[in-house]
């Protein structure tokens, strides 16, 4: 779990360097997607190797980058991460009721 202290540390890192001025929502969205691509790259050409075990070090770094981008974007856009994640889980619970979605990977539009 991310602690408030950790979120403040990410924001302090930015503010100590006066980087807030460069963090427009557009550029943060670009950065978030680039970091997500770096995360994806860890698994590129990995064949049937779908485990995290041998990729743990790189995975830790890229997942941290993705989360840091989320923290920065939420701050710039005035969003509370805990609140928006909870809102989304509530929406998804309606889209994917347990009785229809349990053990089923189908998209909600395909659940019958
Ligand atoms: Mg990265």
């Amino acid at each position: 779990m991310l602690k408030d202290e950790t979120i403040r540390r990410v924001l302090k890192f930015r503010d100590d360097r006066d980087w807030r001025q460069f963090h427009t929502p557009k550029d943060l969205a670009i950065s978030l997607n680039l970091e997500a691509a770096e995360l994806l790259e860890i698994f590129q050409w990995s064949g049937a190797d779908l485990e995290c075990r041998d990729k743990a070090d790189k995975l830790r770094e890229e997942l941290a980058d993705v989360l840091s981008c989320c923290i920065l974007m939420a701050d710039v856009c005035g969003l509370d991460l805990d609140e928006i994640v909870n809102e989304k889980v509530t929406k998804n619970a309606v889209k994917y009721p347990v009785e229809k979605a349990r053990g089923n990977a189908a998209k909600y539009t395909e659940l019958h």
Side-chain angles (χ1 to χ4, degrees):
M1 289 298 128
L2 277 179
K3 299 173 187 160
D4 286 346
E5 179 187 341
T6 306
I7 291 173
R8 281 194 297 274
R9 189 170 181 210
V10 171
L11 299 176
K12 185 180 184 317
F13 178 92
R14 174 200 67 190
D15 294 339
D16 285 350
R17 288 154 185 80
D18 194 21
W19 287 351
R20 169 67 182 79
Q21 61 183 312
F22 307 117
H23 288 185
T24 63
K26 173 194 65 93
D27 286 321
L28 287 170
I30 290 169
S31 295
L32 176 55
N33 277 268
L34 292 174
E35 295 300 346
E38 289 177 5
L39 181 69
L40 187 58
E41 192 177 23
I42 296 168
F43 293 94
Q44 184 182 29
W45 311 122
S46 64
D49 177 14
L50 302 176
E51 301 296 322
C52 297
R53 238 180 343 236
D54 299 335
K55 304 166 176 64
D57 290 344
K58 287 182 181 174
L59 195 59
R60 289 171 62 100
E61 267 199 47
E62 299 311 335
L63 194 54
D65 284 342
V66 168
L67 285 169
S68 293
C69 283
C70 291
I71 290 168
L72 294 167
M73 184 137 196
D75 181 67
V76 163
C77 295
L79 301 169
D80 181 311
L81 283 172
D82 190 69
E83 184 182 310
I84 63 175
V85 169
N86 274 293
E87 283 173 3
K88 190 62 181 181
V89 172
T90 299
K91 280 185 186 175
N92 284 342
V94 173
K95 280 181 177 175
Y96 296 94
V98 172
E99 61 274 13
K100 289 184 180 175
R102 186 173 175 79
N104 185 346
K107 188 175 178 179
Y108 70 95
T109 51
E110 303 301 319
L111 292 176
H112 304 290

